[in-house]
């Protein structure tokens, strides 16, 4: 007799525990959307390429379409539904709203979750591929537009709201990026130093 591929798991999502039976091959994305009705997390490419399904797992960003639900057991999952504090928006959500860091909104939940983690990673001094000096004694690099673009590069926006997304991340981080905001392969489209 073949072993069962199903079992019950308990997931801690947005501060609440949820016990549910799942097939062991169920992704965290499908458990969130199909089993728990948390549809803020979007299914885009279902291949880990677009970032629309980004959630926080113990505060670190993951693409939930590639994360098995059983591997999230015993860890804290935060979805877009759990980012705000009651009726008070998270600073990243507020910045996206104020600076139009979205258009159609499909990628926005993943962008916001990714931005929250990217800001934390930067504040902790984690270098990115755009960080010029990665020596520990160099300290935390400035949060430039280039740094933000690199740190957010795993999240695609089909509408092209990248300029506003960079500005929103900078505002939420409490800093303004320096230099022009450019799209990969495009000319500079805005200088964000004048952004309020």
């Amino acid at each position: 007799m073949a072993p069962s591929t199903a079992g019950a798991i308990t997931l801690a999502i947005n501060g609440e525990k949820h016990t549910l039976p799942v097939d062991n091959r169920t992704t965290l994305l499908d458990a969130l959307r199909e089993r728990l009705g948390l549809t803020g997390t979007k299914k885009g490419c279902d291949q880990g390429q677009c970032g629309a399904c980004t959630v926080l797992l113990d505060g670190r960003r993951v693409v939930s379409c590639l994360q098995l639900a059983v591997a999230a057991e015993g860890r804290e999952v935060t979805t877009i539904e759990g980012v705000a504090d009651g009726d008070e928006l998270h600073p990243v959500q507020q910045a996206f709203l104020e600076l139009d860091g979205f258009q159609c909104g499909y990628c926005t939940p993943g962008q916001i979750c990714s931005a929250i983690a990217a800001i934390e990673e930067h504040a902790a001094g984690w270098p990115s591929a755009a960080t010029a000096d990665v020596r520990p004694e160099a300290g935390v690099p400035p949060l430039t537009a280039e740094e933000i673009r690199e740190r957010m590069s795993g999240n695609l926006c089909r509408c092209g709201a990248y300029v506003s997304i960079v500005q929103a991340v900078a505002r939420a981080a409490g800093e303004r990026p320096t230099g022009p905001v450019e799209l990969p392969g495009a000319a500079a489209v805005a200088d964000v130093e004048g952004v309020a």
Side-chain angles (χ1 to χ4, degrees):
M1 177 177 207
S4 173
T5 61
I9 61 171
T10 301
L11 297 175
I13 302 168
N14 302 326
E16 294 181 16
K17 298 231 184 243
H18 301 270
T19 301
L20 61 153
V22 295
D23 183 291
N24 294 338
R25 300 164 291 189
T26 302
T27 64
L28 180 56
L29 174 61
D30 287 338
L32 293 170
R33 291 184 57 81
E34 308 301 328
R35 304 301 310 276
L36 297 171
L38 296 170
T39 57
T41 304
K42 304 301 183 205
K43 185 178 275 198
C45 66
D46 210 20
Q47 298 178 17
Q49 299 291 315
C50 73
C53 67
T54 303
V55 298
L56 303 176
L57 190 61
D58 292 336
R60 300 204 46 199
R61 51 190 159 166
V62 297
V63 284
S64 60
C65 70
L66 297 182
Q67 176 77 37
L68 293 176
V70 296
E73 191 169 26
R75 301 174 76 186
E76 181 60 39
V77 179
T78 305
T79 68
I80 191 66
E81 290 92 346
V83 169
D85 184 10
D87 289 337
E88 186 176 331
L89 294 178
H90 186 282
V92 173
Q93 289 174 306
Q94 190 64 45
F96 267 68
L97 183 64
E98 290 172 359
L99 295 170
D100 295 325
F102 56 91
Q103 286 185 24
C104 78
Y106 194 82
C107 71
T108 306
Q111 295 275 2
I112 289 172
C113 286
S114 189
I116 290 168
I119 290 167
E120 292 297 320
E121 292 163 9
H122 174 263
W126 294 8
S128 77
T131 304
D133 189 350
V134 298
R135 295 173 302 137
E137 59 269 17
V140 177
L143 190 61
T144 63
E146 183 181 11
E147 277 285 339
I148 294 170
R149 282 192 309 274
E150 173 60 32
R151 291 172 188 272
M152 295 294 294
S153 64
N155 293 78
L156 303 179
C157 173
R158 293 180 184 127
C159 299
Y162 294 112
V163 171
S164 298
I165 289 169
V166 169
Q167 293 169 347
V169 173
R171 179 179 288 178
E175 300 182 33
R176 290 196 180 101
T178 58
V181 176
E182 298 176 22
L183 299 177
V189 292
D191 187 343
V192 297
E193 292 190 4
V195 175

